[in-house]
């Protein structure tokens, strides 16, 4: 029976919930906004299936990829719409062309993130682009297994721990499954995201979700390397028309992105991820090829360049069939700009302080200002001590 005594030992993949034959594992949200499973002891028959699929309890050995590439989609419009080089779309389109199904993360009606699937190329737009919060897997593993058992080709994309959860859930290898994870910095709190949206787009403290028309975490208006978080809204004017309003900030200036990239709001398990360094069991890993401008300046036009790591022969075969602009790289070159491939971020001492300030002030913006103000005060005190 799954029992969470330490929140840092649950990555939130929810494979345990989906595998339970008694359906006696419920999901609850903790004070930080992360989801955790909780078994009903009265209904549980101790079959052990939940523990057998858990990526935390059943960790795989690490792997080094067979081949590594810097690559991008030759379709300029798709690359513009993508967070990096648009490789996901090429993979997904190839699977759909064979009558397959693609699973990915999309926004729901409340602009939170959930896993879903599409059988059409038109449906891929919802999955395109990074979404910086933990997605709810729901019944995605169950749905994927149904398609696989029916003989359909399935592309399943997710965080490394979600792919590890999927592989544990399936309990066998499927030739018609392509499992693709991405280089993951960590997953931020959905609660902090809700607070940020309330504060940024809200009106008199009430959520105005219906006014949001689009959210892009990685808009390339200032280039791939200086991406912006852009929230597009429409506010109804008295004349009856729509007045487009734009919230747009470069990631280094945006409060939510500063909290995320400052490692203040990550899930506790992200500071000791059980699925990095190839342990997820994915066929392919994709991400941004940060540092490509140093390795090969001629390959970087600041429109987005993908890192592609092929973890087995299935991944190699599929990637080579795609029409990409690519260059062979080494694993060490990939690691240089992407340490998150193999290492978890460090747990910052300011994390608890940040969550407490968010709760006290009901403001992400004030909390991030307090966090940096506190750090500045400490620097001033240290300076005064050195000259005292």
């Amino acid at each position: 029976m799954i029992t969470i005594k330490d929140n840092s030992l649950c990555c939130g993949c929810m494979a345990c919930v989906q595998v339970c034959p008694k359906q006696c594992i419920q999901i609850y949200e903790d004070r930080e906004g992360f989801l955790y499973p909780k078994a009903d002891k009265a209904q549980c028959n101790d079959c052990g299936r939940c523990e057998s699929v858990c990526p935390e309890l059943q960790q795989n050995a690490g792997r080094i990829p067979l081949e590594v590439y810097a690559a991008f989609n030759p379709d300029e419009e798709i690359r513009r719409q993508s967070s990096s080089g648009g490789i996901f779309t090429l993979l997904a389109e190839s699977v759909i062309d064979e009558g397959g199904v693609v699973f990915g993360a999309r926004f729901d009606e409340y602009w939170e993130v959930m896993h879903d699937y599409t059988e059409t190329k038109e449906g891929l737009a919802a999955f395109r682009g990074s979404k910086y919060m933990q997605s709810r897997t729901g019944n995605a593993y169950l749905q994927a297994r149904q398609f696989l058992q029916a003989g359909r080709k399935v592309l399943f994309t997710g965080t490394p721990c979600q792919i590890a959860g999927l592989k544990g859930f399936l309990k066998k290898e499927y030739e018609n499954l392509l499992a693709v994870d991405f280089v993951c910095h960590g997953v931020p709190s959905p609660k902090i995201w809700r607070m940020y949206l309330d504060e940024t787009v809200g009106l008199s403290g009430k959520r105005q979700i219906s006014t949001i028309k689009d959210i892009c975490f990685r808009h390339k208006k200032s280039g791939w390397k200086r991406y912006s978080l852009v929230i597009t809204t429409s506010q109804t004017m008295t004349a009856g028309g729509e007045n487009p309003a734009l919230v747009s900030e470069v990631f280094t200036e945006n409060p939510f992105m500063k909290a995320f990239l400052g490692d203040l709001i990550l899930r506790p398990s992200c500071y000791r991820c059980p699925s990095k360094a190839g342990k997820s069991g994915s066929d392919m890993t994709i991400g941004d090829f940060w540092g490509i401008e140093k390795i090969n300046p001629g390959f970087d036009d600041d429109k987005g360049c993908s890192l592609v790591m092929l973890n087995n022969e299935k991944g190699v075969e599929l990637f080579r069939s795609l029409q990409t602009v690519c260059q062979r790289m080494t694993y060490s070159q990939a690691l240089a700009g992407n340490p998150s491939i193999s290492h978890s971020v460090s747990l910052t001492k300011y994390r608890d302080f940040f969550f407490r300030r968010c709760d006290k002030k009901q403001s992400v913006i004030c909390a991030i200002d307090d966090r940096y103000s506190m750090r500045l005060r400490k620097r001033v005190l240290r300076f005064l001590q050195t000259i005292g």
Side-chain angles (χ1 to χ4, degrees), residues 190-202:
K191 171 186 172 180
I192 299 299
W193 172 245
R194 290 194 296 266
M195 292 179 65
Y196 172 75
L197 277 188
D198 285 345
E199 190 173 3
T200 305
V201 188

Side-chain angles (χ1 to χ4, degrees), residues 109-129:
E109 64 270 30
Y110 300 108
W111 296 98
E112 296 186 30
V113 182
M114 61 176 288
H115 254 72
D116 202 355
Y117 70 86
T118 183
E119 301 174 74
T120 69
K121 291 183 179 180
E122 292 74 20
L124 295 177
F127 299 154
R128 198 175 293 128

